[in-house]
């Protein structure tokens, strides 16, 4: 039988996926790891597959906390959680991201210092990488990480004193940065996560009516990394070009 010519199915629920090897670059506080940032409309999950480490987080509700990462652990956090992946030795994580397509469209903001966040042009320049691979990409990714650490350490110090005002101010700055992009995000959400939920509703309706027609459309989809070893926010990143999503320009 000939292979189906139908469009490939998205991952369950319209999620995105990548594999991360956490950066082993030492930061100003003596800790090795990635670039602190938050997502504004996407919940993110870490599935730890190898090594040891931690994820440091900042939230208004809980302040600063650190969650261990070891093989078998699954840790997830909702929009607004500032997170920093910390390397403890050979840490590798499979990242599952809600709303595949939104992170690729910029649903992430680095914890750069306030003066950088306040200037859209300066923020964009600091967040961008001049190349996808090679020495120039590594230098830029490390510089970006260090600038995010600079702002993060200020937020963390305030949170540890019980002062959430700087974190709330960062939230406001992050919203200002992404607000112009939201109009472009909505079609990605409608065609991705929302469409997946609506298909389930249609299937439940069909099943309740005794209609098996959608079962005849079953198919298998397989893929592999579209690029290995890219420079993401948290570490070197194996990227997947999945149905309903585009290749990331920020990347987890």
């Amino acid at each position: 039988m000939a292979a189906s010519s139908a469009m490939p199915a998205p991952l369950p629920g319209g999620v995105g996926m990548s594999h991360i090897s956490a950066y082993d670059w030492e930061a100003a506080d003596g800790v090795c790891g990635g670039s602190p940032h938050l997502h504004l409309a996407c919940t993110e999950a870490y599935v730890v597959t190898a090594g040891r480490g931690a994820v440091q987080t900042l939230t208004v509700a809980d302040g600063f906390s650190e969650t261990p990462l070891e093989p078998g652990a699954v840790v997830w956090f909702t929009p607004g959680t500032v997170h920093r992946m910390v390397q403890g030795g050979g840490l590798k994580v499979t990242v599952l991201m809600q709303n595949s397509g939104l992170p690729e469209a910029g649903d992430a903001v680095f914890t750069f210092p306030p003066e950088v966040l306040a200037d859209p042009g300066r923020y964009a320049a600091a967040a961008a990488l001049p190349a996808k691979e090679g020495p120039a990409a590594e230098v830029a990714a490390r510089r970006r990480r260090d600038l995010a650490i600079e702002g993060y350490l200020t937020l963390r110090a305030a949170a540890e004193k019980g002062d959430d005002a700087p974190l709330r101010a960062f939230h406001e700055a992050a919203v200002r940065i992404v607000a112009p992009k939201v109009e472009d995000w909505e079609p990605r959400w409608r065609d991705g996560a929302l469409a997946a939920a609506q298909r389930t509703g249609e299937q439940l309706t069909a099943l309740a009516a005794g209609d098996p027609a959608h079962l005849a459309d079953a198919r298998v989809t397989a893929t592999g990394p579209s690029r290995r070893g890219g420079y993401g926010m948290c570490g070197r990143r194996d990227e997947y070009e999945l149905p309903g999503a585009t290749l990331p320009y920020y990347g987890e």
Side-chain angles (χ1 to χ4, degrees), residues 28 61 70-71 79 93 110 113 147 154 192 198 205:
E70 58 184 19
V93 173
F110 292 97
L147 189 62
T154 299
Q198 289 173 332
T205 298

Side-chain angles (χ1 to χ4, degrees), residues 70-224:
E70 58 184 19
V74 180
V75 180
W76 62 96
F77 33 88
T78 54
T81 304
V82 174
H83 53 286
R84 176 198 192 187
M85 187 183 292
V86 171
Q87 176 67 269
L91 180 62
K92 294 185 179 182
V93 173
T94 295
V95 175
L96 302 177
M97 183 68 71
Q98 182 187 17
N99 299 321
S100 181
L102 295 195
E104 294 83 359
D107 173 46
V109 174
F110 292 97
T111 55
F112 294 154
E115 63 271 19
V116 179
L117 296 170
D119 183 333
R122 188 175 175 186
Y123 178 88
L129 298 181
K132 291 183 178 295
E133 56 188 24
E138 179 172 346
V139 168
R142 189 161 184 168
R143 183 186 304 118
R144 180 175 73 177
R145 192 283 309 266
D146 290 345
L147 189 62
I149 290 292
E150 181 181 337
Y152 165 79
L153 291 178
T154 299
L155 296 176
R156 174 177 166 176
E160 289 180 321
K161 295 176 181 177
D163 179 8
D164 65 12
L167 180 57
R168 289 180 183 272
F170 172 63
H171 288 174
E172 293 174 357
V175 170
R176 287 193 296 270
I177 288 170
V178 305
K181 305 174 184 178
V182 172
E183 184 176 355
D184 292 333
W185 290 1
E186 290 182 352
R188 296 171 182 262
W189 163 70
R190 286 196 300 269
D191 295 342
L194 180 60
Q198 289 173 332
R199 280 192 296 271
T200 299
E202 293 165 359
Q203 291 161 0
L204 293 179
T205 298
L207 292 172
D211 179 2
H214 69 278
L215 302 180
D217 295 328
R219 60 190 185 275
V220 176
T221 302
T223 190

